[in-house]
């Protein structure tokens, strides 16, 4: 059975704050995890009118492996293909820190304004076991920083927990509305 959006774990699940382990040999189990990550992301995507499921880390389906999938065309909900990055590592952070809205499939409906580097260099291994080197900028650079954080047990909300202006909620009409910081600070789901 293919995994669905209901298999995506969300805060306060403590597994999301644990470090994932490196993938050794890319065997059948690893390929299965990758298929499950993609089907869960697409199922989530199909259920959300105003959002695109752009990427997922394996821990988000409760598999503590250093694996990330990233949509090949994240501006296009119709494109359902993904790049697969095994053991991805940021080798260089470049450019400037810039702030933009960021969401996460494991933090439903909450968005945050998070500072990220505008350019990153990433090395990883492909599903075929080949070395990959990527230079990413703009939104793709943001995606890699967000996803590689997941492999280290870091959530986007952890970056902005002291910023009273950074939190937003996605309303049913697809607009982002600023959230009251006092209620965010007391929201144990986020900080447990
Ligand atoms: Zn995320």
């Amino acid at each position: 059975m293919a995994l669905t959006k209901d298999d995506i774990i969300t805060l306060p699940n403590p597994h999301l704050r644990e470090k994932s382990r490196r993938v050794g040999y890319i065997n059948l189990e690893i390929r299965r995890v990758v298929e499950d990550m993609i089907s869960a992301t697409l199922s989530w995507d199909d259920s959300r009118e105003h959002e695109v499921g752009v990427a997922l880390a394996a821990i988000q389906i409760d598999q503590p492996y250093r694996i990330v999938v990233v949509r090949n065309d994240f501006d296009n909900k119709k494109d359902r293909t993904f790049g697969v990055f095994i053991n991805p590592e940021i080798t260089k952070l470049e450019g400037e820190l810039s702030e933009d809205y960021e969401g996460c499939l494991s933090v439903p409906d909450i968005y945050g304004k998070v500072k990220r580097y505008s350019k990153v260099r990433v090395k990883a291994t492909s599903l075929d076991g080949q070395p990959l080197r990527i230079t990413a900028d703009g939104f793709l650079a943001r995606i890699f920083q967000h996803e590689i954080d997941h492999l280290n047990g870091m959530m986007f909300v952890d970056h902005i927990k002291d910023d009273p202006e950074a939190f937003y909620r996605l309303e049913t009409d697809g607009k982002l509305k600023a959230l009251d910081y006092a209620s965010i600070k007391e929201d144990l789901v986020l900080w447990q």
Side-chain angles (χ1 to χ4, degrees):
M1 276 276 287
L3 290 200
T4 70
K5 62 179 169 42
D6 301 323
D7 297 297
I8 295 173
I9 62 171
T10 56
L11 288 180
N13 189 315
H15 294 178
L16 287 166
R17 288 205 167 87
E18 287 170 13
K19 208 171 159 167
S20 296
R21 58 177 178 266
R22 283 183 69 82
V23 173
Y25 185 60
I26 301 171
N27 56 17
L28 213 57
E29 188 199 344
I30 295 301
R31 289 173 184 277
R32 182 62 186 271
V33 169
V34 169
E35 274 174 34
D36 285 344
M37 290 167 71
I38 292 171
S39 67
T41 304
L42 289 173
S43 161
W44 183 92
D45 189 89
D46 290 338
S47 75
R48 310 288 289 197
E49 192 183 349
H50 302 290
E51 296 161 286
V52 180
V54 294
L56 199 79
I59 191 58
Q60 294 179 270
I61 57 162
D62 214 9
Q63 294 282 352
Y65 289 112
R66 300 185 83 81
I67 308 173
V68 165
V69 297
V70 180
R71 200 138 174 165
N72 286 319
D73 182 357
F74 37 78
D75 292 323
N76 178 6
K77 233 170 137 66
K78 285 185 187 139
D79 181 86
R80 294 169 76 85
T81 64
F82 287 78
V84 178
F85 304 91
I86 312 261
N87 300 327
E89 273 174 59
I90 292 177
T91 55
K92 203 171 180 189
L93 293 160
E94 291 176 271
E96 295 161 1
L97 279 170
S98 73
E99 208 174 56
D100 202 351
Y101 294 106
E102 204 167 300
C104 180
L105 279 63
S106 295
V107 193
D109 300 322
I110 306 273
Y111 277 72
K113 269 191 194 160
V114 185
K115 282 195 180 112
R116 300 285 190 185
Y117 286 91
S118 59
K119 189 172 173 185
V120 294
R121 290 175 199 260
V122 176
K123 75 171 188 186
T125 300
S126 74
L127 199 51
D128 302 324
Q130 299 302 310
L132 296 173
R133 287 198 178 262
I134 306 109
T135 301
D137 49 27
F139 193 55
L140 186 59
R142 176 171 295 275
I143 292 171
F144 275 114
Q145 288 164 85
H146 177 117
E147 298 307 325
I148 291 169
D149 271 355
H150 273 303
L151 308 183
N152 297 320
M154 182 87 173
M155 302 293 288
F156 83 85
V157 293
D158 301 335
H159 284 288
I160 54 175
K161 61 181 190 301
D162 298 321
D163 184 348
E165 313 275 295
F167 289 88
Y168 292 78
R169 177 178 294 281
L170 186 72
E171 301 288 294
T172 48
D173 62 3
K175 296 201 176 92
L176 292 173
K177 189 177 159 230
L179 274 171
D180 172 45
Y181 186 56
S183 66
I184 279 289
K185 284 298 263 188
E186 286 161 19
D187 189 347
L188 290 182
V189 165
L190 294 179
W191 314 118
Q192 225 162 46

mmCIF file with all atom_site columns, all heavy atoms in Angstrom, residues 3 16 33 50 75 87 92-93 106 127 183:
data_model
loop_
_atom_site.group_PDB
_atom_site.id
_atom_site.type_symbol
_atom_site.label_atom_id
_atom_site.label_alt_id
_atom_site.label_comp_id
_atom_site.label_asym_id
_atom_site.label_entity_id
_atom_site.label_seq_id
_atom_site.pdbx_PDB_ins_code
_atom_site.Cartn_x
_atom_site.Cartn_y
_atom_site.Cartn_z
_atom_site.occupancy
_atom_site.B_iso_or_equiv
_atom_site.pdbx_formal_charge
_atom_site.auth_seq_id
_atom_site.auth_comp_id
_atom_site.auth_asym_id
_atom_site.auth_atom_id
_atom_site.pdbx_PDB_model_num
ATOM 1  N N   . LEU A 1 3   ? 1.987  4.973  0.761   1.00 0.00 ? 3   LEU A N   1
ATOM 2  C CA  . LEU A 1 3   ? 1.753  5.863  1.899   1.00 0.00 ? 3   LEU A CA  1
ATOM 3  C C   . LEU A 1 3   ? 0.926  7.076  1.460   1.00 0.00 ? 3   LEU A C   1
ATOM 4  O O   . LEU A 1 3   ? 0.940  7.465  0.302   1.00 0.00 ? 3   LEU A O   1
ATOM 5  C CB  . LEU A 1 3   ? 3.073  6.357  2.499   1.00 0.00 ? 3   LEU A CB  1
ATOM 6  C CG  . LEU A 1 3   ? 3.965  5.374  3.245   1.00 0.00 ? 3   LEU A CG  1
ATOM 7  C CD1 . LEU A 1 3   ? 4.917  6.142  4.152   1.00 0.00 ? 3   LEU A CD1 1
ATOM 8  C CD2 . LEU A 1 3   ? 3.196  4.359  4.052   1.00 0.00 ? 3   LEU A CD2 1
ATOM 9  N N   . LEU A 1 16  ? 10.781 14.146 15.155  1.00 0.00 ? 16  LEU A N   1
ATOM 10 C CA  . LEU A 1 16  ? 11.142 15.264 14.271  1.00 0.00 ? 16  LEU A CA  1
ATOM 11 C C   . LEU A 1 16  ? 12.333 16.059 14.802  1.00 0.00 ? 16  LEU A C   1
ATOM 12 O O   . LEU A 1 16  ? 12.948 16.821 14.054  1.00 0.00 ? 16  LEU A O   1
ATOM 13 C CB  . LEU A 1 16  ? 9.945  16.200 14.077  1.00 0.00 ? 16  LEU A CB  1
ATOM 14 C CG  . LEU A 1 16  ? 8.838  15.641 13.176  1.00 0.00 ? 16  LEU A CG  1
ATOM 15 C CD1 . LEU A 1 16  ? 7.571  16.473 13.312  1.00 0.00 ? 16  LEU A CD1 1
ATOM 16 C CD2 . LEU A 1 16  ? 9.278  15.572 11.719  1.00 0.00 ? 16  LEU A CD2 1
ATOM 17 N N   . VAL A 1 33  ? 11.618 3.430  0.803   1.00 0.00 ? 33  VAL A N   1
ATOM 18 C CA  . VAL A 1 33  ? 11.440 4.653  1.598   1.00 0.00 ? 33  VAL A CA  1
ATOM 19 C C   . VAL A 1 33  ? 11.255 5.857  0.654   1.00 0.00 ? 33  VAL A C   1
ATOM 20 O O   . VAL A 1 33  ? 10.372 6.689  0.857   1.00 0.00 ? 33  VAL A O   1
ATOM 21 C CB  . VAL A 1 33  ? 12.632 4.880  2.563   1.00 0.00 ? 33  VAL A CB  1
ATOM 22 C CG1 . VAL A 1 33  ? 12.582 6.276  3.185   1.00 0.00 ? 33  VAL A CG1 1
ATOM 23 C CG2 . VAL A 1 33  ? 12.654 3.810  3.656   1.00 0.00 ? 33  VAL A CG2 1
ATOM 24 N N   . HIS A 1 50  ? -4.166 25.434 -1.687  1.00 0.00 ? 50  HIS A N   1
ATOM 25 C CA  . HIS A 1 50  ? -3.374 26.653 -1.864  1.00 0.00 ? 50  HIS A CA  1
ATOM 26 C C   . HIS A 1 50  ? -1.867 26.421 -1.693  1.00 0.00 ? 50  HIS A C   1
ATOM 27 O O   . HIS A 1 50  ? -1.109 27.382 -1.637  1.00 0.00 ? 50  HIS A O   1
ATOM 28 C CB  . HIS A 1 50  ? -3.814 27.712 -0.856  1.00 0.00 ? 50  HIS A CB  1
ATOM 29 C CG  . HIS A 1 50  ? -5.265 28.060 -0.972  1.00 0.00 ? 50  HIS A CG  1
ATOM 30 N ND1 . HIS A 1 50  ? -5.772 28.762 -2.034  1.00 0.00 ? 50  HIS A ND1 1
ATOM 31 C CD2 . HIS A 1 50  ? -6.328 27.764 -0.171  1.00 0.00 ? 50  HIS A CD2 1
ATOM 32 C CE1 . HIS A 1 50  ? -7.077 28.922 -1.880  1.00 0.00 ? 50  HIS A CE1 1
ATOM 33 N NE2 . HIS A 1 50  ? -7.442 28.314 -0.763  1.00 0.00 ? 50  HIS A NE2 1
ATOM 34 N N   . ASP A 1 75  ? 6.998  25.196 -8.937  1.00 0.00 ? 75  ASP A N   1
ATOM 35 C CA  . ASP A 1 75  ? 6.012  26.236 -9.267  1.00 0.00 ? 75  ASP A CA  1
ATOM 36 C C   . ASP A 1 75  ? 4.799  25.638 -9.962  1.00 0.00 ? 75  ASP A C   1
ATOM 37 O O   . ASP A 1 75  ? 3.847  26.337 -10.274 1.00 0.00 ? 75  ASP A O   1
ATOM 38 C CB  . ASP A 1 75  ? 6.645  27.287 -10.193 1.00 0.00 ? 75  ASP A CB  1
ATOM 39 C CG  . ASP A 1 75  ? 7.702  28.090 -9.459  1.00 0.00 ? 75  ASP A CG  1
ATOM 40 O OD1 . ASP A 1 75  ? 7.501  28.371 -8.265  1.00 0.00 ? 75  ASP A OD1 1
ATOM 41 O OD2 . ASP A 1 75  ? 8.725  28.411 -10.078 1.00 0.00 ? 75  ASP A OD2 1
ATOM 42 N N   . ASN A 1 87  ? 22.012 11.272 1.658   1.00 0.00 ? 87  ASN A N   1
ATOM 43 C CA  . ASN A 1 87  ? 23.099 11.847 2.466   1.00 0.00 ? 87  ASN A CA  1
ATOM 44 C C   . ASN A 1 87  ? 23.498 13.258 2.012   1.00 0.00 ? 87  ASN A C   1
ATOM 45 O O   . ASN A 1 87  ? 24.695 13.548 1.850   1.00 0.00 ? 87  ASN A O   1
ATOM 46 C CB  . ASN A 1 87  ? 24.350 10.935 2.436   1.00 0.00 ? 87  ASN A CB  1
ATOM 47 C CG  . ASN A 1 87  ? 24.070 9.548  2.992   1.00 0.00 ? 87  ASN A CG  1
ATOM 48 O OD1 . ASN A 1 87  ? 23.250 9.377  3.898   1.00 0.00 ? 87  ASN A OD1 1
ATOM 49 N ND2 . ASN A 1 87  ? 24.743 8.544  2.449   1.00 0.00 ? 87  ASN A ND2 1
ATOM 50 N N   . LYS A 1 92  ? 28.781 24.624 1.239   1.00 0.00 ? 92  LYS A N   1
ATOM 51 C CA  . LYS A 1 92  ? 29.071 26.052 1.311   1.00 0.00 ? 92  LYS A CA  1
ATOM 52 C C   . LYS A 1 92  ? 27.779 26.859 1.355   1.00 0.00 ? 92  LYS A C   1
ATOM 53 O O   . LYS A 1 92  ? 26.865 26.581 0.585   1.00 0.00 ? 92  LYS A O   1
ATOM 54 C CB  . LYS A 1 92  ? 29.896 26.463 0.085   1.00 0.00 ? 92  LYS A CB  1
ATOM 55 C CG  . LYS A 1 92  ? 30.704 27.707 0.315   1.00 0.00 ? 92  LYS A CG  1
ATOM 56 C CD  . LYS A 1 92  ? 31.669 27.947 -0.836  1.00 0.00 ? 92  LYS A CD  1
ATOM 57 C CE  . LYS A 1 92  ? 32.470 29.214 -0.586  1.00 0.00 ? 92  LYS A CE  1
ATOM 58 N NZ  . LYS A 1 92  ? 33.244 29.603 -1.756  1.00 0.00 ? 92  LYS A NZ  1
ATOM 59 N N   . LEU A 1 93  ? 27.732 27.796 2.281   1.00 0.00 ? 93  LEU A N   1
ATOM 60 C CA  . LEU A 1 93  ? 26.620 28.754 2.339   1.00 0.00 ? 93  LEU A CA  1
ATOM 61 C C   . LEU A 1 93  ? 27.136 30.048 1.759   1.00 0.00 ? 93  LEU A C   1
ATOM 62 O O   . LEU A 1 93  ? 28.194 30.534 2.154   1.00 0.00 ? 93  LEU A O   1
ATOM 63 C CB  . LEU A 1 93  ? 26.195 28.981 3.794   1.00 0.00 ? 93  LEU A CB  1
ATOM 64 C CG  . LEU A 1 93  ? 25.550 27.793 4.518   1.00 0.00 ? 93  LEU A CG  1
ATOM 65 C CD1 . LEU A 1 93  ? 25.628 27.985 6.029   1.00 0.00 ? 93  LEU A CD1 1
ATOM 66 C CD2 . LEU A 1 93  ? 24.106 27.603 4.084   1.00 0.00 ? 93  LEU A CD2 1
ATOM 67 N N   . SER A 1 106 ? 5.116  19.034 8.191   1.00 0.00 ? 106 SER A N   1
ATOM 68 C CA  . SER A 1 106 ? 5.020  18.531 9.563   1.00 0.00 ? 106 SER A CA  1
ATOM 69 C C   . SER A 1 106 ? 4.591  19.609 10.566  1.00 0.00 ? 106 SER A C   1
ATOM 70 O O   . SER A 1 106 ? 4.566  19.349 11.772  1.00 0.00 ? 106 SER A O   1
ATOM 71 C CB  . SER A 1 106 ? 6.365  17.932 9.986   1.00 0.00 ? 106 SER A CB  1
ATOM 72 O OG  . SER A 1 106 ? 6.644  16.790 9.188   1.00 0.00 ? 106 SER A OG  1
ATOM 73 N N   . LEU A 1 127 ? 20.022 8.218  -6.310  1.00 0.00 ? 127 LEU A N   1
ATOM 74 C CA  . LEU A 1 127 ? 19.433 6.915  -6.023  1.00 0.00 ? 127 LEU A CA  1
ATOM 75 C C   . LEU A 1 127 ? 20.206 5.785  -6.728  1.00 0.00 ? 127 LEU A C   1
ATOM 76 O O   . LEU A 1 127 ? 20.184 4.635  -6.307  1.00 0.00 ? 127 LEU A O   1
ATOM 77 C CB  . LEU A 1 127 ? 17.959 6.932  -6.465  1.00 0.00 ? 127 LEU A CB  1
ATOM 78 C CG  . LEU A 1 127 ? 17.017 5.880  -5.904  1.00 0.00 ? 127 LEU A CG  1
ATOM 79 C CD1 . LEU A 1 127 ? 17.078 5.795  -4.385  1.00 0.00 ? 127 LEU A CD1 1
ATOM 80 C CD2 . LEU A 1 127 ? 15.592 6.149  -6.361  1.00 0.00 ? 127 LEU A CD2 1
ATOM 81 N N   . SER A 1 183 ? 0.401  33.663 21.954  1.00 0.00 ? 183 SER A N   1
ATOM 82 C CA  . SER A 1 183 ? -0.233 32.347 21.827  1.00 0.00 ? 183 SER A CA  1
ATOM 83 C C   . SER A 1 183 ? 0.737  31.328 21.208  1.00 0.00 ? 183 SER A C   1
ATOM 84 O O   . SER A 1 183 ? 0.735  30.149 21.557  1.00 0.00 ? 183 SER A O   1
ATOM 85 C CB  . SER A 1 183 ? -1.524 32.443 21.015  1.00 0.00 ? 183 SER A CB  1
ATOM 86 O OG  . SER A 1 183 ? -1.228 32.790 19.691  1.00 0.00 ? 183 SER A OG  1
#
